[in-house]
Amino acid sequence: MMIKDFQKTAIVTATSEISFDEMLRRISMFADLTPATKGDRVLIFSENREAWIYSFFAVWAVGAIPVPVDAGNTVDDVAYILGNCTPRVVWTSRKREDTLREAVRHAGVDTRVMLMDDYEHSPLTTQPQADIDYKDEDTAVIIYTSGTTGNPKGVMLSFANLMVNVRSVSEDVPIFHPGRRTLVLLPLHHVLPLFGSLVAPMMSGGGVALCPGLSGPEIMATLQKGRVSILIGVPRLYQTIYMGVKKKIDAGIITRALFKLCEMVGSRSLSRKVFGVVHRTMGGHLDYMVCGGAALDTEIGRGLKTLGFSVLEGYGMTETAPMITFTRPGEERPGCAGRALPGQDIRLIDGEVCVKGPNVMQGYWQNPQATAEVIDADGYLHTGDLGTLDGEGFLTITGRTKEIIVLSNGKNVQPAEIEFKLEKYDDRVKEAAVVQQGDQLCAVIVPRKEWAEKLCDEEVEDALKEQVLRPYNLSTENYKKIMRVFVYRDDLPRTRMDKLQRYKVADIVKSGHHYQTKRKPIVEPTWEEYRIIKQYIQDEKGIEPQPTDHIETDLGFDSLDKVGLQTFIEQTFGAKVDAAGMADFASITALAEHVADQKTKMCVETVDWKATLQTEGEPLKLPTSTWMMPLMVKGLKVLHKVYNRLEYKGRENIPAHGPMILAPNHLSYIDGGVVMSGMDWSHVQDFYFYATEDHVRSPFRKWLAGHSNVVLMERKNLKDSISKQAQVLRQGKNMIIFPEGTRSRTGEVGVFKKTFAILSKELNVPIVPVCIHGAFEALPRHRRWLRPKKVVVQYLPAITAAPDETAEQLAERCREAIIAAQRGR
């Protein structure tokens, strides 16, 4: 330990302060009381308290191996661990004694039980002799994994594993040092708080402050009394802190404006002055918020940074003691987990984060088969997490392989992303979990008690559909929409580190017993218009709709789905229905009633996109590009060649003559210009973009669009917009369509809308996928000024639809081609 003054405070509690001298003397006393020798296992089964610290270091002092166990475990959980590691002795608290003794009987092990309470504050006679004599290869601790998917495994960590972590954050990067005290908040049986809230602070001489509970007032009081500099927490803690502060900020015009100002300026010192009251409430000494355990949502990270907090995100696991990467002060990038610890080799194998280095565990206790399943022949630990590494070595975690929901259409869904968005409706939603039901997504929602206590579950469900799911579904991609909601009044099953136990959530849904009151029976309409529309929806979406289902909130219809339904209704019933207005109907029953009132015929037909797109309709007068457009394209080409070292690849893949559709990935505002600048000079005027009218409201923008080959579309008339694009192609011209519809927030290729694929398939027009590299780094969404990053535009081989290929399959084929090019650069 880096201690010069042994009278300095080592532990701050709610009622006392313990010096390093007293702490070492109590560790010596606990060591004398521990009947174990080198290599023996010693279980520690207690809530966080002073004696937990004494007993842990005492086990090290006698050369034994501590086995910290979750104080919230059941008898069966503890019995399993007792039987697996057969400890010589157990240190426990009086609160947990009954559970422990029952577990010992269940396990049938011969172990001695020691009560912390008997010695925690007893008179001291022992002198501080708690020397810890160890070798790097000695096993320092066995930590049992949380068991989110079954029986836990004992992770064996050596002293070398732990010390490489300590040196990284106290010597290589002095985050922990004698002048910084750390809050002990999370349960110490888990590797993150054990290392970050105990081992590192004590080894560096900074000391700790023990929080007596997890309530907001207890946390704030401990931060203030302990003059805490480092807070170790999990994402839900920081989400709670930020959302509480942000709600108060949003309540006032001035505070909202100040938050926006601090967000734009990006100065930590300014933010700390503007939001000084927030910092004083949290003790006024907080240097770092360290976040681990799971990925912190980017919005939360940026928001806390705007408030003036330095959030150091890290990434790791029990098997790496715990860190794989961590954020160095001054390198904060919300959503990014930082750079690797020194001496590590991180590789992405099929997108999975794999690591090799001195922090990787010795293996699982008495389980070589499980060890071999995660550590390959080359020594790389396979984490089970997906991620990306940039050129500077910064790691971003994009998901967990075991948690990904794979739909039948091949789409991958990260449930945590959706859960965070649902929990933002915190006046209604306490917590949420997303699970798969067949080929649909279902949200298990725990409602706020104060809001829902006077409502039956049916009323809660209906309100959640309208007030939470509908706005969420309108803001997300079609495949991420929630199709069902499951009201659950109890807390969702979580580990003590607040990780959702998804396999238990799935069991809750399977049980189906979530209604406290019986749902009123739904009377199925029998009239023909309803039956026909229901059958169409069932054939198109592959689900059986209910009469009360909403076209968007429950059935997840996107804009193109609604155009298809609009066309079907017109062809079948002769009734006029505005696709953009379909969401105004409360249910498909209400929609069918409208159709029944307006119909002029009834003849069941399928949607014929070919006929729809081949219909001439009112002739489309294309905007005439003047000398301005070629000049602008030429100017952009020169600018990006000089400033961004713009490079073109694959221009030989561009057909010599139209019509064609260029389909680029969308990263930045510069995308359209750099794609156009690669065209042959004589063909520039044959390429057309499209934009909705609300993007070009000013007279100047309308004039500019009319002279720059921009075809304006009406957002409210989606069918007409698609027809206009078809007319451009039928006139032998070319379209540049961004299939994602919006710029990427992460640099990754997003979901492709299928409009461009329908146009290609039905008009027999080739698609040229275009992969843009570097534009996200040059001008991402959150930046205003172009940076001098290299940009490459890669035109890929043209793609045409196979005879039996659907528009969805064609769109996905184009997307996969761009993703392959993006990875293969």
Side-chain angles (χ1 to χ4, degrees):
M1 297 184 181
M2 297 168 55
I3 307 166
K4 295 181 179 179
D5 180 6
F6 284 86
Q7 299 309 311
K8 179 184 173 183
T9 299
I11 305 171
V12 176
T13 73
T15 57
S16 62
E17 294 188 6
I18 297 97
S19 68
F20 275 97
D21 177 73
E22 180 179 348
M23 181 187 74
L24 292 173
R25 292 171 68 190
R26 290 204 177 274
I27 291 171
S28 296
M29 181 177 69
F30 270 66
D32 290 342
L33 293 165
T34 302
T37 58
K38 189 172 182 63
D40 288 338
R41 276 78 59 205
V42 178
L43 217 70
I44 301 175
F45 182 55
S46 166
E47 66 282 358
N48 287 359
R49 58 191 299 170
E50 296 169 50
W52 202 107
I53 299 172
Y54 306 149
S55 58
F56 179 84
F57 286 116
V59 178
W60 274 2
V62 299
I65 304 170
V67 184
V69 176
D70 185 354
N73 273 359
T74 64
V75 169
D76 289 341
D77 294 332
V78 180
Y80 173 82
I81 296 173
L82 286 167
N84 188 251
C85 72
T86 59
R88 175 68 62 86
V89 63
V90 178
W91 278 106
T92 190
S93 66
R94 200 170 299 282
K95 286 182 180 180
R96 306 306 297 156
E97 181 183 6
D98 290 345
T99 299
L100 188 278
R101 292 194 184 277
E102 184 67 19
V104 170
R105 284 193 291 271
H106 278 227
V109 296
D110 181 18
T111 186
R112 183 170 175 181
V113 176
M114 304 287 294
L115 288 178
M116 296 175 175
D117 306 63
D118 293 343
Y119 309 102
E120 186 171 37
H121 299 121
S122 62
L124 277 171
T125 57
T126 308
Q127 293 301 312
Q129 299 172 349
D131 294 330
I132 299 171
D133 183 20
Y134 67 88
K135 296 179 181 178
D136 283 349
E137 65 271 18
D138 289 344
T139 300
V141 65
I142 298 175
I143 298 179
Y144 279 81
T145 55
S146 56
T148 57
T149 57
N151 284 332
K153 299 183 288 289
V155 178
M156 296 186 294
L157 299 176
S158 68
F159 279 99
N161 295 153
L162 289 175
M163 292 309 139
V164 70
N165 276 270
V166 171
R167 287 191 292 271
S168 294
V169 292
S170 62
E171 297 177 12
D172 299 333
V173 181
I175 296 171
F176 294 90
H177 63 60
R180 290 197 178 113
R181 185 174 292 132
T182 302
L183 183 70
V184 178
L185 176 65
L186 303 173
L188 289 168
H189 74 276
H190 193 279
V191 69
L192 172 62
L194 175 64
F195 168 78
S197 301
L198 182 59
V199 175
M202 290 304 186
M203 289 287 183
S204 63
V208 301
L210 273 168
C211 191
L214 297 177
S215 71
E218 288 173 318
I219 294 172
M220 296 306 166
T222 309
L223 288 171
Q224 292 174 357
K225 180 181 179 181
R227 300 171 66 87
V228 170
S229 300
I230 301 175
L231 172 59
I232 310 284
V234 292
R236 285 179 67 85
L237 169 66
Y238 296 122
Q239 177 179 332
T240 301
I241 292 172
Y242 173 69
M243 299 302 278
V245 174
K246 190 63 164 58
K247 185 174 288 188
K248 294 179 180 178
I249 288 173
D250 290 342
I253 297 176
I254 295 177
T255 47
R256 286 201 306 270
L258 288 172
F259 185 86
K260 193 67 178 177
L261 173 66
C262 290
E263 186 177 42
M264 293 172 58
V265 174
S267 167
R268 186 186 180 199
S269 59
L270 173 64
S271 293
R272 290 178 73 91
K273 290 178 181 177
V274 171
F275 298 109
V277 66
V278 177
H279 289 266
R280 288 191 294 274
T281 300
M282 300 187 70
H285 300 277
L286 200 57
D287 290 329
Y288 300 120
M289 289 178 166
V290 177
C291 183
L296 181 67
D297 188 88
T298 304
E299 178 185 336
I300 303 298
R302 287 176 179 163
L304 289 171
K305 186 177 181 180
T306 299
L307 292 174
F309 292 106
S310 180
V311 182
L312 304 183
E313 296 182 58
Y315 165 67
M317 55 197 306
T318 306
E319 289 84 346
T320 56
M323 293 190 298
I324 294 174
T325 63
F326 71 99
T327 298
R328 280 71 167 168
E331 294 184 350
E332 296 91 334
R333 299 184 184 184
C336 175
R339 294 185 288 116
L341 268 69
Q344 281 193 110
D345 180 14
I346 298 178
R347 292 185 181 180
L348 299 181
I349 302 176
D350 295 328
E352 181 184 9
V353 179
C354 300
V355 60
K356 180 179 181 180
N359 58 329
V360 175
M361 67 171 180
Q362 296 172 313
Y364 295 118
W365 172 258
Q366 293 187 339
N367 199 339
Q369 180 179 348
T371 303
E373 288 173 358
V374 297
I375 299 180
D376 63 25
D378 295 324
Y380 284 90
L381 173 70
H382 289 245
T383 66
D385 292 307
L386 302 173
T388 60
L389 273 171
D390 69 12
E392 299 176 89
F394 285 88
L395 177 70
T396 299
I397 300 300
T398 58
R400 182 150 183 82
T401 56
K402 293 181 180 178
E403 292 187 353
I404 291 176
I405 295 173
V406 182
L407 302 175
S408 63
N409 59 7
K411 301 293 186 185
N412 292 339
V413 176
Q414 284 290 348
E417 172 193 342
I418 300 175
E419 289 156 2
F420 170 73
K421 293 179 179 178
L422 294 177
E423 288 173 358
K424 290 177 71 175
Y425 298 90
D426 58 356
D427 56 337
R428 299 285 186 270
V429 179
K430 179 184 176 184
E431 54 181 337
V434 174
V435 297
Q436 186 174 8
Q437 275 191 312
D439 200 36
Q440 301 175 9
L441 297 179
C442 170
V444 180
I445 293 180
V446 178
R448 286 284 177 192
K449 182 178 179 181
E450 57 272 22
W451 167 66
E453 61 184 351
K454 294 183 179 179
L455 302 175
C456 70
D457 287 349
E458 181 184 4
E459 293 169 326
V460 171
E461 179 176 314
D462 290 341
L464 289 173
K465 282 183 177 180
E466 180 63 26
Q467 300 166 20
V468 177
L469 297 193
R470 183 179 181 186
Y472 162 74
N473 282 345
L474 289 173
S475 69
T476 194
E477 298 93 340
N478 188 48
Y479 74 98
K480 292 182 182 179
K481 292 185 177 182
I482 300 297
M483 310 299 279
R484 294 286 182 268
V485 63
F486 187 108
V487 177
Y488 188 64
R489 299 263 184 175
D490 295 325
D491 291 336
L492 293 176
R494 296 180 180 276
T495 69
R496 294 265 285 170
M497 281 295 288
D498 213 32
K499 288 185 179 180
L500 195 62
Q501 293 179 302
R502 296 190 180 278
Y503 72 102
K504 291 184 179 180
V505 177
D507 290 341
I508 290 172
V509 176
K510 288 178 183 177
S511 71
H513 301 302
H514 64 300
Y515 279 116
Q516 295 177 347
T517 59
K518 291 185 178 179
R519 177 175 281 278
K520 298 174 183 177
I522 299 174
V523 179
E524 184 90 8
T526 58
W527 27 285
E528 195 66 8
E529 292 86 356
Y530 169 81
R531 187 194 64 77
I532 293 171
I533 291 174
K534 175 186 175 180
Q535 188 62 48
Y536 169 84
I537 294 172
Q538 190 167 337
D539 293 341
E540 286 293 306
K541 303 295 289 184
I543 57 175
E544 182 176 356
Q546 298 297 312
T548 55
D549 282 349
H550 186 271
I551 203 74
E552 287 182 336
T553 307
D554 295 311
L555 301 176
F557 268 52
D558 63 15
S559 58
L560 197 60
D561 292 326
K562 286 183 280 186
V563 171
L565 180 55
Q566 174 193 15
T567 304
F568 172 78
I569 289 173
E570 290 179 0
Q571 293 173 349
T572 304
F573 302 103
K576 296 294 183 182
V577 180
D578 180 15
M582 283 185 182
D584 295 334
F585 293 99
S587 64
I588 60 172
T589 301
L591 174 62
E593 288 173 347
H594 172 80
V595 170
D597 290 339
Q598 300 293 323
K599 75 176 188 294
T600 59
K601 64 175 183 174
M602 193 156 64
C603 177
V604 178
E605 299 180 13
T606 58
V607 178
D608 188 347
W609 281 112
K610 183 179 288 291
T612 300
L613 299 181
Q614 292 287 0
T615 301
E616 291 294 336
E618 184 178 342
L620 175 65
K621 183 179 179 181
L622 296 177
T624 304
S625 64
T626 61
W627 51 270
M628 287 183 58
M629 183 174 177
L631 184 63
M632 283 193 300
V633 172
K634 188 74 172 178
L636 288 172
K637 183 174 184 178
V638 172
L639 167 66
H640 293 301
K641 278 277 190 180
V642 173
Y643 193 70
N644 298 107
R645 293 165 288 154
L646 178 62
E647 178 184 347
Y648 306 105
K649 294 182 178 180
R651 280 197 281 190
E652 67 276 6
N653 292 319
I654 303 171
H657 304 286
M660 74 185 82
I661 298 172
L662 294 187
N665 56 319
H666 203 1
L667 302 172
S668 168
Y669 278 133
I670 69 173
D671 294 343
V674 296
V675 170
M676 282 290 289
S677 67
M679 299 297 104
D680 185 89
W681 183 255
S682 61
H683 291 163
V684 166
Q685 292 175 305
D686 290 331
F687 283 86
Y688 287 79
F689 296 91
Y690 78 91
T692 56
E693 289 183 333
D694 51 358
H695 286 150
V696 288
R697 290 176 179 173
S698 69
F700 172 73
R701 288 187 176 183
K702 287 183 179 179
W703 176 84
L704 186 64
H707 292 78
S708 305
N709 282 19
V710 177
V711 180
L712 297 182
M713 311 292 185
E714 296 180 67
R715 187 182 293 275
K716 64 182 181 181
N717 195 335
L718 298 169
K719 183 178 178 182
D720 181 63
S721 297
I722 296 173
S723 297
K724 282 185 177 180
Q725 295 174 64
Q727 285 196 54
V728 173
L729 296 168
R730 288 205 309 271
Q731 292 183 37
K733 304 300 183 180
N734 312 307
M735 291 291 299
I736 297 181
I737 300 175
F738 293 98
E740 293 160 281
T742 185
R743 289 170 294 148
S744 172
R745 294 183 179 274
T746 63
E748 299 297 313
V749 180
V751 179
F752 275 20
K753 301 181 186 302
K754 61 184 178 182
T755 306
F756 80 110
I758 290 175
L759 290 167
S760 169
K761 177 177 173 62
E762 303 304 345
L763 299 179
N764 196 28
V765 172
I767 299 171
V768 178
V770 184
C771 183
I772 304 173
H773 307 271
F776 183 78
E777 290 73 21
L779 188 62
R781 290 178 69 112
H782 61 279
R783 292 189 66 90
R784 293 188 174 187
W785 305 108
L786 184 66
R787 294 187 289 192
K789 301 289 185 178
K790 183 176 178 62
V791 175
V792 177
V793 180
Q794 184 178 2
Y795 304 91
L796 305 176
I799 293 176
T800 56
D804 58 348
E805 189 173 29
T806 66
E808 291 86 350
Q809 291 168 334
L810 177 59
E812 189 60 23
R813 190 149 58 97
C814 293
R815 181 175 180 271
E816 289 173 355
I818 292 175
I819 291 174
Q822 192 180 57
R823 291 175 176 171
R825 181 187 171 193

